[in-house]
């Protein structure tokens, strides 16, 4: 299964990917997680990405395209992958398309998780991530157990101001890839409002799993 999760910031892409990858037995490849790891390690890529991410801006296409194409060419992605956060611009979608065509493979599905803008800020501001396990929580919607609370991280781009900026970028840069994939017949729309369990059931249903 070669698939992509698309949706606005905080739509639940990471949450759903964590629930789905084990049963699909494919790697979860999150461009945001890879960039945050580079920031933490202080690599050249991380230094370039840090300020852009904090401000809710996008990292340049050529940088992200190189990073993801190199990742999906690794052996563990040979039978499939779940991309999360990439592509998020038309040039990124076109570059992925060319790379897959060159490798003689095709996408099976692009799952669009739809959540209205008015729910997005609360989801982001309340998000907390466990740096040890990578698990995503929400202070209200998915409260963390007491024994991990002390170590949870609040992402630097999860301020209301940065989330508004990320939403603007989503509408101007990422939403245009939706018709691109619709035209290819691989787009699957899923309502992202409801409990995470409900959303997981909707995704598995549209994927025919
Ligand atoms: P990235 O990490 O990809 O961020 P994003 O797309 O903004 O998505 P998020 O990780 O914020 O949200 P999500 O949809 O995964 O939601 P989650 O499951 O965590 O990118 C960050 C930055 O990196 C970008 O702004 C950019 O600078 C850069 N970048 C990354 N990729 C790039 C690219 N391709 N090109 C250029 N730049 C790039 O859920 C959110 C919260 O809601 C959690 O607290 C969760 O518990 C809760 N929640 C989840 N589901 C539900 C539900 N059903 N009901 C209630 N709450 C829920």
């Amino acid at each position: 299964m070669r698939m992509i999760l698309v949706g606005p910031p905080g739509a639940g892409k990471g949450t759903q990917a964590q629930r789905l990858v084990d049963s699909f037995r494919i790697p979860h490849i999150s461009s945001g997680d890879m960039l945050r790891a580079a920031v933490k390690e202080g690599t050249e890529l991380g230094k370039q990405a840090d300020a852009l991410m904090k401000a809710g801006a996008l990292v340049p296409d050529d940088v992200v395209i190189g990073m993801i194409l190199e990742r999906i060419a690794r052996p563990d992605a040979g039978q499939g992958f779940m991309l999360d956060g990439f592509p998020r611009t038309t040039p990124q979608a076109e570059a992925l398309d060319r790379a897959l065509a060159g490798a003689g493979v095709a996408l099976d599905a692009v799952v669009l998780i739809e959540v209205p803008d008015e729910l997005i800020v609360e989801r982001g501001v309340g998000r907390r991530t466990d740096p040890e396990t990578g698990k995503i929580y929400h202070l209200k919607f998915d409260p963390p157990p007491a024994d991990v609370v002390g170590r949870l991280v609040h992402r630097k781009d999860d301020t209301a101001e940065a989330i508004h900026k990320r939403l603007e970028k989503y509408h101007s840069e990422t939403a245009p890839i939706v018709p691109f994939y619709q035209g290819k017949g691989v787009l699957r729309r899923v309502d992202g409002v409801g409990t995470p369990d409900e959303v997981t059931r909707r995704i598995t249903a549209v994927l025919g799993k």
Side-chain angles (χ1 to χ4, degrees):
M1 163 84 67
R2 292 180 180 82
M3 62 172 289
I4 301 174
L5 291 173
V6 184
K13 304 181 293 294
T15 300
Q16 294 302 325
Q18 290 184 348
R19 289 159 165 258
L20 295 166
V21 281
D22 284 346
S23 52
F24 288 15
R25 299 209 185 119
I26 49 177
H28 169 210
I29 300 176
S30 157
S31 48
D33 285 351
M34 291 174 78
L35 291 168
R36 280 184 288 280
V39 171
K40 203 169 166 190
E41 285 161 22
T43 63
E44 271 315 304
L45 165 62
K47 285 179 197 153
Q48 194 182 347
D50 192 23
L52 291 166
M53 292 172 76
K54 239 183 271 176
L58 293 182
V59 175
D61 281 336
D62 55 340
V63 173
V64 187
I65 290 169
M67 179 182 84
I68 293 293
L69 295 190
E70 186 275 324
R71 177 65 187 87
I72 63 174
R74 288 192 211 160
D76 69 331
Q79 297 308 310
F81 49 73
M82 185 177 293
L83 286 176
D84 159 8
F86 180 96
R88 66 207 291 153
T89 65
T90 300
Q92 292 179 20
E94 290 170 347
L96 177 64
D97 220 40
R98 283 193 297 274
L100 294 178
V105 296
L107 282 173
D108 297 295
V110 175
V111 175
L112 172 63
I113 305 179
E114 298 182 294
V115 176
D117 286 5
E118 53 271 25
L119 299 184
I120 291 296
V121 175
E122 188 180 14
R123 283 199 185 186
V125 171
R127 169 170 41 197
R128 298 292 184 275
T129 312
D130 184 340
E132 283 185 23
T133 63
K135 185 159 172 20
I136 302 163
Y137 296 99
H138 191 282
L139 296 178
K140 180 170 158 190
F141 303 128
D142 188 6
D147 58 325
V148 306
V149 169
R151 65 176 191 234
L152 297 183
V153 173
H154 190 208
R155 267 169 51 177
K156 291 181 213 161
D157 60 348
D158 271 343
T159 60
E161 190 189 355
I163 294 168
H164 282 294
K165 186 82 194 295
R166 285 157 59 201
L167 254 181
E168 271 173 37
K169 283 282 170 203
Y170 175 76
H171 289 298
S172 63
E173 306 289 331
T174 308
I177 71 172
V178 171
F180 175 83
Y181 287 119
Q182 193 154 22
K184 291 179 175 294
V186 289
L187 187 74
R188 307 282 178 266
R189 291 177 187 271
V190 168
D191 181 2
V193 182
T195 65
D197 283 345
E198 285 167 341
V199 179
T200 305
R201 280 196 290 274
R202 290 174 198 147
I203 294 176
T204 49
V206 297
L207 293 175
K209 290 281 171 183

